[in-house]
């Protein structure tokens, strides 16, 4: 951490700050600039985050130069973490598709969707049984019944399951039926929930909050990581900006950024990222090209009659076409990786 | 709700949509525009929110023209709701101050703060016992011990208590010690928590989410309102934007907007709204002038040694000075209200 | 400026950076942290802004700790600058109102508006003769004819004039008719225009860009300041965020912030700040309470038939009522200032 | 346009609005909803944009359902426009690369860069001679000298030229040396400049403003389109959001969106879109995969000594590697397009 004093700070004010730094067990380096004093703190400054140096008289501002997360960082764990979802690998260089409806609406609907998903090449079935909805009058999900249908449909077609857990009291229930526990965007900073799911050992699909910075997202993953053995799968799903031509602004730069800063895999969600079904295929292709480890996408056998998110769901035809395209771009990405490996070898 | 068809929609596509509208029990008015057909839905369209008309072929877009919230709306309840916090009235035309530290750090600290708060004219003591923190390594609050200290200090100085409840499992505990249950910004859309606190009957201080729209905020209040008898107090605390000279962008326009759309009172939080202690007094004055029903503000006997949020906390001297200013602006606002009443009478 | 090296930077990489720093004539202080080297640059680093230290191998990031603006800064000029608009003082502690229509529509309309404006207590008449419009098919202003009407109406009612100059080629023309030259939000970073208006010597009303940071705004003022003798009047008019319940998000925290960082006065524009006429009076009151030096507000004798911005314009009745309120809040602010002065004396 | 009356609007208020609609020559359809009246306007409502229906008593809100742009719309011109830059085709299904330094720094620098650019497969050379800079103390460009060097270097290596024109007074000068006139992000809504460049007949590279919506961007293109014969090339370069881990948030969804709404080609700028050189290659690949018609990218023979934007510039090695990757993804995209054509044929 660096502390920048005001140009007119008194000698006394500077010394008060220095005393406090030493009091909490850190070393300090004092730089007399042309206009102001700048103090450098040396030692493990993670402990300093609660000291309000900015409230000291004479202090202009403070700048953090080391991250507050550790287990999540690439520095701590240089190799990519490959998440094993009961045999399906995420983060091993392949591109894994998770597909399914926004909500589980009934056994037949989810069975049909599972069939579609599997036929297109998806390995994991998605579907909501507990639905967070802006209005209390909107459909809130089939709850445990939905979980049962989801599991049954996935098993029938040889798929794994990902579904959202919204509340601590449902963790055991959801973990009983699901292979990956998804934390929704609204819960990215529900820290108690993060800590609890981290103890299950199941992989955690951690959606980025609608206004979550990359730094906050990495810290949220740290809550999972310090709590147990659950690996994290980051899910980029768009952020809220001024632009309203799309439901969210799909921030694909997050993929190479997260890969640089963390060892955990990252997948993309072009359905929520755009909110419009015909933008999903081009943005899914773009996701592959950024180097993402997979995607999660909304599909429905009959989007016009979907109980939720129909406008961003693909039907059988558009989904199959997209999956063909994904395969072609994935093959191109493999060619690029081969190039890199051969040049490294050379 | 209005459904706008694409300019090149076929007759068949229009009819499919009309059939579906009638199937869900609504009437429809058909407007043949110069370029496209526009359909108006008549009836209680709250039930329509889950129908994905935008996924129908030939549909361009849909526009909702009635709100999805009801109990929260001004239309449903034209008179202002006055919230009675065990004798302290919020929303009756007075300006109520809630003051206290970010975190309860110990009995002495909170007692000193309570004394300061009361001396300045605050009626309600704030203080966090459960703290949501970006990093798992930061101080997370004294929990029940903190609640006890908070209650004891408030009682000693004749103050009421507001504190945050972060989790469903703590509702009874927090409700035992606190007069108002605060829902933090990160939980504005934690719908299960909202529904549960709504059943306690205690007033709910509902902070606006960091990226919460006015419309989502009103719908979040509706989750409380439909769940029981708890009245809501809206708390504007700033939103996340591109500007980083302040911690958040303090959206004071929310005050007259919420007053127009809802009957529940609204207070402002200039501490989180700005994040910088010397911006707090001018923005608190501005809050009074917008017509807010009160404010919640961070104060600390020794901000330099505060365990959290020291940079945005006022000390005794700056707090007392601000409270004098608040009194002057409040008197001016009363003069303005008297003017209105006399002109109405005349 | 501070340069933070990566934890794994080589000795060689550090030395390359140090050599470059010395090459451009600056001193450097080297801090060996626990994890990484941090370099502090000493000297006038304004010249360093074009050196791409972040592109050097081994560099993690760079942090600027001195501002790039100088003449605009409070540090350079500690006393408030009072702008004298042909006898009307802005920044002397009074609250000055500028009022008028969005567009000059004709002589009668602007005469009526000038009468209204003056009767309510405004000192300066606003009105657009050159209008920047999102669509090329919208009304673009009466141009020189509009300027003539504006001047004539202002003179008749003893008012000064503020109007927008959109283009370098119109500077002389607009300066001939107007007392203050307004730079619109879209032109906040039209640097050539800023430099040119700065040479006129007329006060420049500098609107904040729709996505302009406080720092960029101060630098834009610097373009005016280095170009000649024109003083700047900052105009806060709202920024673009995700919230769409208002036309812009009115960032009133800018008032105390700009007053802290610059000596130039700042006024507020609650009409564009909210975009809705009935939010204008409460937000104008709030503007006074933040300590702003004045406001600019849209009024129209007949908003329903206004050629532009009718929805955010006040009519005679609502304007007069607001001005009464403004007077009451202004009196309260004078009371607060008197308090400060007496306590300083004491 | 649709006008939604308030639930409590009087019959008289509704009639006043209807009268006004008819007065301006439009037909109106009246829909009596369950709660409120909704009026549909029929006719060419482009002319209505200046009527302030929202200022009428009893009006709740108004909704525009037809676009204000016409010549730019896909509806008006269903086929893709292919822009011919003196033999280099943009928008014909190929992926065209424009590469070069942020600023032209001298003849040798731009010659070296042109050689690099051409060797990697770029067809067009970029480089700034007039530079808009946040601070007046930063390097502002070599001006005409820079233009000469740029043209000379491009000609030597068989490249076309794109460079920015910042000001109306420079249009002839820039048009003399450049094949494409670039309008920078800060000038997206400099309407007079747009209208003037539109008259040159040269292709216009129109960057999206830092806070420009898709709709405003399309309207800005309309200013060019109505002014003459210049075709537009849209350039997505990132928008300003709360995220500061990247310089801007690169909104790649703009590519399929613009292609849906307009016939003009769109290219992407991953350098400004990310601001960090090592994010450029993955985001450039993603741009190809969205279906963009090309990209504009910053390269420099020696980024460490670049006069501006060094941190986001690729050097020879990283650029050549990226171009190999681009070729592989482009080939994959051609395979996808072939698939579509064959399925159409089938």
């Amino acid at each position: 951490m660096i502390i920048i004093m005001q140009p007119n700070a008194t000698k006394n004010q500077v010394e008060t700050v220095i005393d406090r730094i030493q009091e909490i067990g850190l070393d300090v380096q004092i730089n007399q600039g042309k206009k102001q004093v700048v103090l450098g703190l040396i030692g493990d400054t993670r402990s300093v985050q609660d000291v309000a140096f900015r409230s000291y008289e004479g202090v202009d501002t403070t700048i953090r130069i080391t991250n507050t997360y550790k287990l999540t960082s690439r520095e701590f764990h240089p190799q990519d973490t490959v998440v094993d979802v009961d045999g399906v690998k995420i983060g091993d260089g392949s591109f894994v598709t998770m597909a399914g409806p926004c909500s589980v609406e009934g056994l037949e609907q989810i069975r049909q969707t599972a069939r579609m998903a599997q036929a297109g090449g998806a390995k994991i079935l998605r579907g909501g049984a507990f639905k967070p909805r802006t209005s209390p009058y909107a459909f809130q999900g089939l709850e445990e019944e939905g979980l049962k249908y989801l599991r049954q449909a996935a098993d029938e077609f040889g798929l794994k399951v990902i579904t959202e857990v919204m509340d601590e009291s449902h963790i055991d229930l959801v973990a009983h039926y699901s292979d990956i526990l998804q934390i929704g965007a609204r819960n990215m900073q529900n820290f108690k929930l993060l800590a609890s799911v981290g103890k299950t050992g199941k992989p955690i699909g951690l959606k980025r909050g609608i206004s979550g910075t990359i730094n906050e997202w990495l810290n949220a993953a740290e809550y999972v990581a310090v709590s147990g053995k659950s690996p994290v799968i980051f899910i980029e799903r768009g952020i809220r900006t001024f632009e309203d031509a799309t439901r969210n602004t799909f921030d694909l730069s997050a993929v190479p950024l997260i890969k640089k800063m963390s060892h955990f895999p990252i997948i993309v969600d072009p359905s929520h990222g755009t909110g419009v079904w015909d933008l999903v295929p081009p943005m899914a292709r773009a996701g592959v090209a950024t180097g993402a480890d997979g995607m999660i996408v909304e599909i429905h056998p009959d989007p016009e009659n979907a109980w939720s998110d129909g406008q961003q769901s693909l039907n059988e035809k558009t989904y199959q076409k997209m999956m063909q395209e994904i395969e072609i771009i994935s093959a191109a990405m493999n060619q690029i990786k081969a190039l890199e490996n051969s040049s490294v070898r050379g």
Side-chain angles (χ1 to χ4, degrees), chain A:
Chain A
M1 181 180 270
I2 287 167
I3 298 175
I4 299 166
M5 303 299 298
Q6 291 166 356
N8 58 356
T10 66
K11 216 183 145 185
N12 219 32
Q13 288 170 342
V14 175
E15 275 164 16
T16 303
V17 173
I18 292 173
D19 287 353
R20 182 79 166 114
I21 296 170
Q22 290 170 339
E23 202 183 303
I24 56 177
L26 296 174
D27 286 337
V28 59
Q29 272 185 325
I30 304 157
N31 308 298
Q32 181 61 56
K34 208 171 173 184
K35 288 176 70 177
Q36 64 225 116
V37 173
V38 176
L39 303 171
L41 279 61
I42 299 169
D44 185 356
T45 57
R46 252 194 295 272
S47 58
V48 194
Q49 57 197 316
D50 292 315
V51 181
F53 282 112
R54 258 181 288 171
S55 69
Y56 279 62
E57 283 184 48
V59 169
D60 184 19
T61 193
T62 61
I63 298 163
R64 170 167 291 285
I65 58 172
T66 46
N67 296 321
T68 50
Y69 53 88
K70 187 183 159 196
L71 306 179
T72 303
S73 72
R74 173 70 75 177
E75 194 175 66
F76 174 78
H77 187 295
Q79 285 75 37
D80 286 348
T81 287
V82 178
V83 177
D84 187 330
V85 184
D86 195 16
V88 174
K89 302 278 173 53
I90 299 174
D92 67 345
S94 63
F95 188 84
V96 175
T97 297
M98 313 182 181
C102 174
S103 307
V104 180
E105 298 167 13
L107 182 56
E108 259 328 286
Q109 172 247 18
I110 191 68
R111 285 187 63 237
Q112 278 187 52
T113 314
R115 182 194 50 71
M116 261 173 74
Q118 192 269 349
K123 294 271 186 278
I124 298 175
L125 182 65
R126 64 152 287 158
F130 296 94
K131 300 299 306 171
R133 301 302 297 275
T134 299
S135 161
Y137 307 112
F139 171 61
Q140 312 267 328
L142 291 184
E143 310 202 349
E144 186 167 2
E145 196 190 346
L147 293 173
K148 278 185 194 162
Y149 296 158
L150 188 64
R151 183 78 256 172
Q152 184 179 334
D155 287 347
E156 184 178 343
F157 293 95
L159 300 168
K160 308 301 165 199
V161 166
I162 179 170
T163 196
E164 178 169 355
V165 54
M166 278 176 62
D167 194 83
E168 233 184 319
S169 65
H170 297 144
I171 294 177
D172 289 345
L173 181 69
V174 176
H176 179 69
Y177 293 103
S178 187
D179 301 301
I180 304 176
L181 302 182
Q182 181 183 309
I183 299 295
R186 290 180 185 80
N187 279 322
M188 186 193 89
Q189 292 198 313
N190 186 333
F191 301 122
K192 204 149 170 291
L193 182 61
L194 294 173
S196 298
V197 294
K199 288 174 191 139
T200 61
K202 294 244 174 178
I204 307 303
L206 180 62
K207 286 209 163 185
R208 182 175 182 183
I210 206 166
S211 63
T213 62
I214 296 287
N215 184 53
E216 288 171 344
W217 199 14
L218 289 159
N219 274 288
E222 190 77 2
Y223 268 94
V224 175
V226 297
S227 296
K229 296 198 188 113
S230 285
V232 171
I233 302 162
F234 289 100
I235 307 176
E236 162 62 32
R237 45 78 72 212
I239 57 174
R240 182 164 281 180
T241 72
F242 64 82
E243 180 58 72
D244 60 3
T246 42
R247 182 172 174 177
N248 294 290
T249 295
F250 196 28
D251 183 15
L252 282 177
S253 300
V255 177
L257 258 176
I258 287 286
K259 289 212 157 285
K260 188 159 77 171
M261 304 174 89
S262 179
H263 52 93
F264 288 126
I266 176 167
I267 67 170
V268 297
D269 175 352
S271 307
H272 288 88
T274 62
V276 191
W277 74 265
D278 59 355
L279 300 183
V280 171
M283 298 315 289
R285 295 191 311 250
V288 180
T290 60
D293 299 298
M295 70 167 161
I296 182 162
V297 65
E298 290 187 347
I299 63 174
H300 197 284
D302 182 11
E304 299 192 356
N305 290 300
W307 294 5
S308 53
D309 276 0
Q311 75 286 348
Q312 69 190 33
S313 299
L314 299 177
N315 63 19
E316 179 138 24
K317 193 176 132 201
T318 49
Y319 165 66
Q320 301 295 358
K321 185 168 173 305
M322 174 183 72
M323 291 301 279
Q324 277 187 293
E325 298 176 5
I326 293 304
E327 205 174 332
I328 292 169
I329 304 286
S330 293
M333 284 299 288
N334 287 336
Q335 223 178 313
I336 287 171
K337 284 170 202 159
L339 213 71
E340 268 166 44
N341 293 337
S342 75
S343 84
V344 170
R345 249 180 266 123

